[in-house]
Amino acid sequence: MAQKKTPRPTSDDPEELTRTVLQAVLLADSFAQKFRPITLERPKVLLPLVNAPMIEYTLAWLESVGVEEVFVFCCAHSQQVKSYLENSQWTKQPGAFSVTTIESHDAISAGDALRVIYTHGIIRGDFILISGDTVSNMSLAKALSEHKDRRKKDPLAIMTMVIKHSKPSALTHQTRLGNDEIIMAIDPGTKELLYYEDKVDLSQHLISLDKMLLADKSALSLHNDKQDCYIDICSPEVLSLFTDNFDYQHLRRHFVKGLLIDDIMGYKIFTHEIQSSYAARVDNFRSYDTISKDILQRWTYPFVPDVQYLGNGLQIKLDREGIYKAPEVVQSRSAHIDSFTVLGNATTVGDNAVISNSVIGQGCTIGHNVTIEGSYIWDNVKIEDGCKLSHALVCDGVHLRAGVVLEPGVILSFKVEVGQQIVVPAYSKVSLLPQPSKQDSDEELEYADANTGIIESPSIATMMNAQKVDFPHGTSDADRSGTSEFYVSGAGYIWSSCEGGNEDEWRHSIAPIPADKLSVLLLNAFADVDAPDQDTSCIPASGELLPDSASTVGDGEDYRDSADFEKEVEATFQRALAGVDLENVILEINSLRLSYHMSHADCAGALFHSIMKAALVPSYSSKNELYANTVKEIIKWRDLLKHYLKTLDEEIEVILKFEEISVETAREFSPLFSNILSCLYDQEVLSEEAILSWAQEKEGADESDKIFTKQSEQFIKWLREASEEEDEDND
């Protein structure tokens, strides 16, 4: 913790006498599952980050910037958080910094948490909103002053977001923190936030903005190189808005985006960009690794291991090459400790052990000939001789028996045991707790629902049986025959991959991106660059867009909402593929339609898009095979799609969506457009009237917009002739 501060001087200045105490709301629940299975047993804010609980970094920074009252909101494992704070120096120290916990077991989102805070009536003015997994050393004075000045001139300026430059990777479309890159549109003069998108569909290769953004702006800057630090300066109205709008659950996805598109209330959000200071949030395992390395390399100074800011009471010594050692470390002379490594108090390191770029906790025992690279070993871990750990995370009380190999990305939760000679495959997650079956949302609490079932998970013992064990040289026949006793298999459940499999695992892992994945990403990146239809002249190199720039002008449609809506419909359709009853699927899509204020035509278009994506899943080697796959999917889901095709406009929307898909996201369908259009007619999904109306609308269009009407010319001609013959017969 920070050193004791001197009392603030008294003053007769009226501004000083009326000064409002600077308050902060610290969310001690992440309302996410990215750190499972670890957070089933311990709250994320109490997980060690370079041997200090994450919440220590956040509290230490809040104290350093002059915050006087912190309200810590606890939900998941609330008793653990309260107990930790009650026994820490934060609640015992005298002075101007107070920490108060607020507990609720009903909140399932950040929005719910802020509604609880509002009901307590404790916020008296502008306050800092921050998560308990945030590390920063920035000065808040300038951002706070800007916020207050804006508030005096414009009461609708209710929030200031702290952002930082962070160049995304051209290959992974991610920041170095493992988050998807964010697209922001900012007024370069006022720094007002005009657009925010953290779920960018990069396959589109474009961003569509409402032209009304430029109605009263001389210019805007479009950025994909800004990192959201998740440090917000808020006015009390923010809490009121959450209370008035129960749809606001997620801070960015719902609240920020909601305010940006609300043209009735007129509330505004501004940004404050920091330059040389540090601010980042531990959001996933990759950001855990990145921020740990930043701490070791002292980008977060003074919040570093050898400065007593973090309440551990231990004097850590910084040696050459960034090696940090706590007292009472016992290290063999033949052990080699490489740069940017931490050895915790009372840890023992055996002969010929090699440790590099790693953090070792307190009370650990590391045997002989052990190799640890880029890993995080928490407290009281026992690693026997000959083990090899590469870019792994090992929680408290784990026991690795001799010869264990942890491949990159492995997560071993609390007190797991791994038997001798076992190789734990890359990205495996092992826990003493079985895997809950319900993991379909990133907005759940950190702990498992008591009513949730469990997935049948293989155990470490199963892994032992599946692997051929190479016994150490010199092992006796008696030992070999008594394997069940001598070579203990271990204890723990192996969790299956999350939805998306290893695709998400390697993207968000503490392990480096595998070489084969990098090569694929590299090929895709060059393919994108070489794509002939991309208009690289749309956006100026500066990123600043002027009112006359066609690149920012959409058709008035809220692209963000429609993109989110399509993703939600696709997720619902995927559940239909998994066997969910169609009636329930229709109910879900209808509720999404109401929630997003969409029409039946939007539902039809989004659903058709999902069906066409499903046709691409089975393998195919020719156009005929793809066409056969598509016909199969159309027949299978015809009745579901027709549920949303009640009018001619809705049928035309499906054709327009098909055009969009064939040009932008799935060009494989482009040469088959006419054939599939005919199939949709044959299966009575589309009517003759809808197809002819679409063709008629295209007659006055540009040549580039008539590609598919020309391709379908024979079919359209046949429909017209058939229609005329029918009219003659009727006459």
Side-chain angles (χ1 to χ4, degrees):
M1 56 168 256
Q3 297 175 354
K4 181 178 176 181
K5 292 187 174 182
T6 56
R8 295 179 182 272
T10 58
S11 172
D12 294 331
D13 184 357
E15 287 191 10
E16 179 67 21
L17 294 174
T18 59
R19 182 183 62 85
T20 303
V21 170
L22 183 57
Q23 299 173 300
V25 172
L26 186 155
L27 301 179
D29 194 315
S30 63
F31 301 105
Q33 300 178 349
K34 295 177 182 177
F35 273 78
R36 281 193 173 189
I38 299 172
T39 49
L40 289 179
E41 301 179 65
R42 186 183 296 179
K44 181 181 170 187
V45 296
L46 295 187
L47 302 183
L49 185 69
V50 191
N51 291 348
M54 294 184 193
I55 197 172
E56 286 285 340
Y57 292 90
T58 312
L59 290 172
W61 175 73
L62 289 172
E63 185 190 38
S64 72
V65 297
V67 171
E68 295 172 75
E69 292 182 359
V70 180
F71 298 99
V72 179
F73 180 85
C74 316
C75 190
H77 306 294
S78 58
Q79 196 53 48
Q80 288 189 45
V81 178
K82 290 172 63 179
S83 177
Y84 176 83
L85 292 174
E86 287 168 2
N87 293 305
S88 73
Q89 294 301 311
W90 298 113
T91 55
K92 294 179 180 178
Q93 64 173 340
F97 188 74
S98 68
V99 177
T100 306
T101 56
I102 295 175
E103 183 178 10
S104 171
H105 293 290
D106 299 325
I108 61 170
S109 68
D112 287 344
L114 294 180
R115 283 184 275 273
V116 172
I117 295 290
Y118 179 79
T119 60
H120 280 68
I122 50 180
I123 300 300
R124 301 184 295 277
D126 293 337
F127 65 97
I128 312 304
L129 179 59
I130 192 170
S131 178
D133 49 17
T134 303
V135 179
S136 179
N137 62 3
M138 68 171 284
S139 169
L140 201 62
K142 185 176 180 181
L144 199 58
S145 174
E146 290 174 355
H147 177 81
K148 290 182 179 296
D149 289 345
R150 274 194 295 263
R151 289 279 293 160
K152 291 177 182 177
K153 299 173 184 176
D154 185 358
L156 296 177
I158 63 171
M159 183 171 168
T160 300
M161 290 170 45
V162 176
I163 61 174
K164 181 177 174 63
H165 177 81
S166 179
K167 186 177 181 181
S169 166
L171 295 179
T172 62
H173 301 296
Q174 290 179 305
T175 67
R176 68 193 192 98
L177 298 175
N179 302 314
D180 293 336
E181 66 180 69
I182 295 171
I183 303 294
M184 296 186 192
I186 299 172
D187 185 321
T190 65
K191 305 305 179 185
E192 181 182 354
L193 182 67
L194 304 174
Y195 175 90
Y196 183 99
E197 181 54 67
D198 59 350
K199 296 288 183 182
V200 182
D201 185 0
L202 293 157
S203 64
Q204 299 286 339
H205 304 295
L206 58 88
I207 295 294
S208 176
L209 303 180
D210 191 333
K211 59 187 177 184
M212 295 306 295
L213 286 178
L214 287 168
D216 58 348
K217 306 291 180 185
S218 59
L220 65 80
S221 295
L222 194 62
H223 300 275
N224 73 332
D225 60 350
K226 302 302 179 189
Q227 170 195 325
D228 188 344
C229 300
Y230 293 94
I231 299 174
D232 302 326
I233 304 173
C234 304
S235 70
E237 286 90 339
V238 168
L239 296 179
S240 302
L241 286 169
F242 272 97
T243 304
D244 294 339
N245 296 273
F246 279 84
D247 289 342
Y248 290 163
Q249 301 292 339
H250 193 278
L251 288 175
R252 296 298 188 252
R253 206 170 304 145
H254 299 147
F255 177 70
V256 169
K257 291 184 182 181
L259 289 193
L260 293 180
I261 64 174
D262 184 356
D263 55 1
I264 298 176
M265 302 299 291
Y267 288 116
K268 300 173 186 175
I269 300 173
F270 290 83
T271 60
H272 173 81
E273 183 173 355
I274 57 176
Q275 302 298 329
S276 58
S277 302
Y278 188 90
R281 183 185 176 197
V282 182
D283 180 64
N284 52 60
F285 286 115
R286 185 171 296 281
S287 56
Y288 179 92
D289 175 62
T290 300
I291 294 171
S292 296
K293 287 180 169 59
D294 290 343
I295 293 171
L296 294 179
Q297 295 173 23
R298 307 181 77 75
W299 292 105
T300 61
Y301 188 88
F303 308 114
V304 290
D306 57 312
V307 178
Q308 292 188 39
Y309 260 78
L310 303 175
N312 53 28
L314 297 173
Q315 182 62 54
I316 307 294
K317 181 182 177 183
L318 174 61
D319 290 342
R320 293 179 302 172
E321 299 181 349
I323 299 172
Y324 299 83
K325 287 186 181 179
E328 301 181 25
V329 170
V330 178
Q331 177 187 335
S332 167
R333 290 193 176 188
S334 61
H336 179 70
I337 310 301
D338 211 340
S339 57
F340 300 116
T341 294
V342 178
L343 297 180
N345 188 51
T347 283
T348 302
V349 183
D351 297 338
N352 300 310
V354 178
I355 305 175
S356 61
N357 295 295
S358 298
V359 177
I360 313 297
Q362 299 185 33
C364 295
T365 301
I366 298 172
H368 307 312
N369 302 305
V370 171
T371 301
I372 302 175
E373 178 188 4
S375 297
Y376 301 92
I377 314 300
W378 294 357
D379 295 344
N380 302 311
V381 173
K382 185 174 182 180
I383 303 175
E384 295 186 4
D385 299 347
C387 291
K388 295 183 178 180
L389 290 73
S390 176
H391 303 284
L393 191 152
V394 179
C395 297
D396 295 359
V398 168
H399 186 177
L400 305 182
R401 297 184 183 274
V404 166
V405 175
L406 301 186
E407 293 187 340
V410 167
I411 307 294
L412 300 183
S413 194
F414 300 98
K415 299 183 179 179
V416 165
E417 294 187 26
V418 183
Q420 292 191 24
Q421 307 296 316
I422 286 182
V423 177
V424 183
Y427 311 114
S428 297
K429 294 180 181 178
V430 186
S431 172
L432 291 183
L433 299 179
Q435 184 174 4
S437 60
K438 183 180 179 182
Q439 296 194 103
D440 58 353
S441 170
D442 65 352
E443 300 300 321
E444 301 290 336
L445 294 179
E446 290 172 342
Y447 52 77
D449 189 332
N451 299 319
T452 295
I454 61 173
I455 293 175
E456 289 288 337
S457 303
S459 65
I460 286 287
T462 307
M463 183 183 290
M464 173 70 179
N465 294 332
Q467 293 182 9
K468 180 180 178 181
V469 176
D470 293 325
F471 294 96
H473 179 71
T475 304
S476 67
D477 291 338
D479 288 336
R480 293 172 188 264
S481 63
T483 301
S484 61
E485 296 180 5
F486 187 76
Y487 291 91
V488 180
S489 59
Y493 293 97
I494 304 165
W495 284 37
S496 61
S497 298
C498 61
E499 186 177 349
N502 280 353
E503 183 71 15
D504 285 334
E505 297 294 343
W506 64 261
R507 285 185 184 277
H508 302 125
S509 170
I510 64 173
I513 298 175
D516 60 326
K517 299 293 184 183
L518 273 177
S519 62
V520 171
L521 290 168
L522 190 62
L523 287 172
N524 291 340
F526 280 116
D528 289 345
V529 170
D530 295 337
D533 65 326
Q534 290 187 44
D535 184 1
T536 55
S537 64
C538 286
I539 300 178
S542 66
E544 186 169 302
L545 305 173
L546 303 177
D548 293 334
S549 172
S551 62
T552 60
V553 179
D555 57 3
E557 174 190 19
D558 189 342
Y559 175 77
R560 292 158 292 175
D561 270 359
S562 64
D564 286 345
F565 175 72
E566 285 196 0
K567 290 176 183 176
E568 293 285 358
V569 170
E570 184 180 353
T572 302
F573 179 72
Q574 290 297 325
R575 287 192 279 277
L577 291 175
V580 175
D581 184 71
L582 285 186
E583 291 299 322
N584 291 334
V585 172
I586 291 170
L587 284 173
E588 284 192 44
I589 293 175
N590 287 342
S591 68
L592 288 171
R593 178 176 64 82
L594 296 172
S595 176
Y596 281 86
H597 306 292
M598 295 295 179
S599 65
H600 278 88
D602 295 318
C603 293
L607 191 54
F608 179 74
H609 195 179
S610 299
I611 293 170
M612 297 303 283
K613 278 188 174 182
L616 293 170
V617 173
S619 60
Y620 58 90
S621 57
S622 67
K623 294 177 183 177
N624 289 339
E625 289 183 7
L626 176 58
Y627 176 69
N629 291 346
T630 307
V631 171
K632 182 179 177 181
E633 294 298 327
I634 289 172
I635 294 173
K636 183 177 181 180
W637 302 108
R638 172 182 55 193
D639 293 340
L640 176 61
L641 183 57
K642 287 177 70 174
H643 185 85
Y644 295 97
L645 299 177
K646 305 296 186 185
T647 68
L648 189 67
D649 288 342
E650 288 151 9
E651 292 183 39
I652 293 174
E653 174 64 27
V654 166
I655 305 175
L656 296 175
K657 175 60 70 173
F658 189 20
E659 281 191 288
E660 178 187 317
I661 293 168
S662 301
V663 170
E664 296 178 2
T665 60
R667 296 175 193 165
E668 300 94 325
F669 292 121
S670 184
L672 298 172
F673 186 94
S674 178
N675 294 339
I676 295 173
L677 187 67
S678 177
C679 171
L680 291 167
Y681 171 76
D682 292 339
Q683 296 300 321
E684 298 182 350
V685 175
L686 298 177
S687 66
E688 172 187 298
E689 186 181 1
I691 297 172
L692 293 178
S693 296
W694 163 73
Q696 186 176 0
E697 288 179 9
K698 292 287 184 178
E699 287 178 359
D702 296 336
E703 288 301 312
S704 61
D705 211 20
K706 297 189 331 192
I707 297 172
F708 296 116
T709 51
K710 287 186 175 181
Q711 186 190 124
S712 309
E713 194 170 7
Q714 290 299 320
F715 176 56
I716 293 168
K717 180 181 178 182
W718 177 82
L719 285 178
R720 281 178 177 151
E721 290 174 352
S723 177
E724 289 170 0
E725 288 176 6
E726 186 177 343
D727 290 342
E728 289 176 2
D729 291 341
N730 290 336
D731 291 340

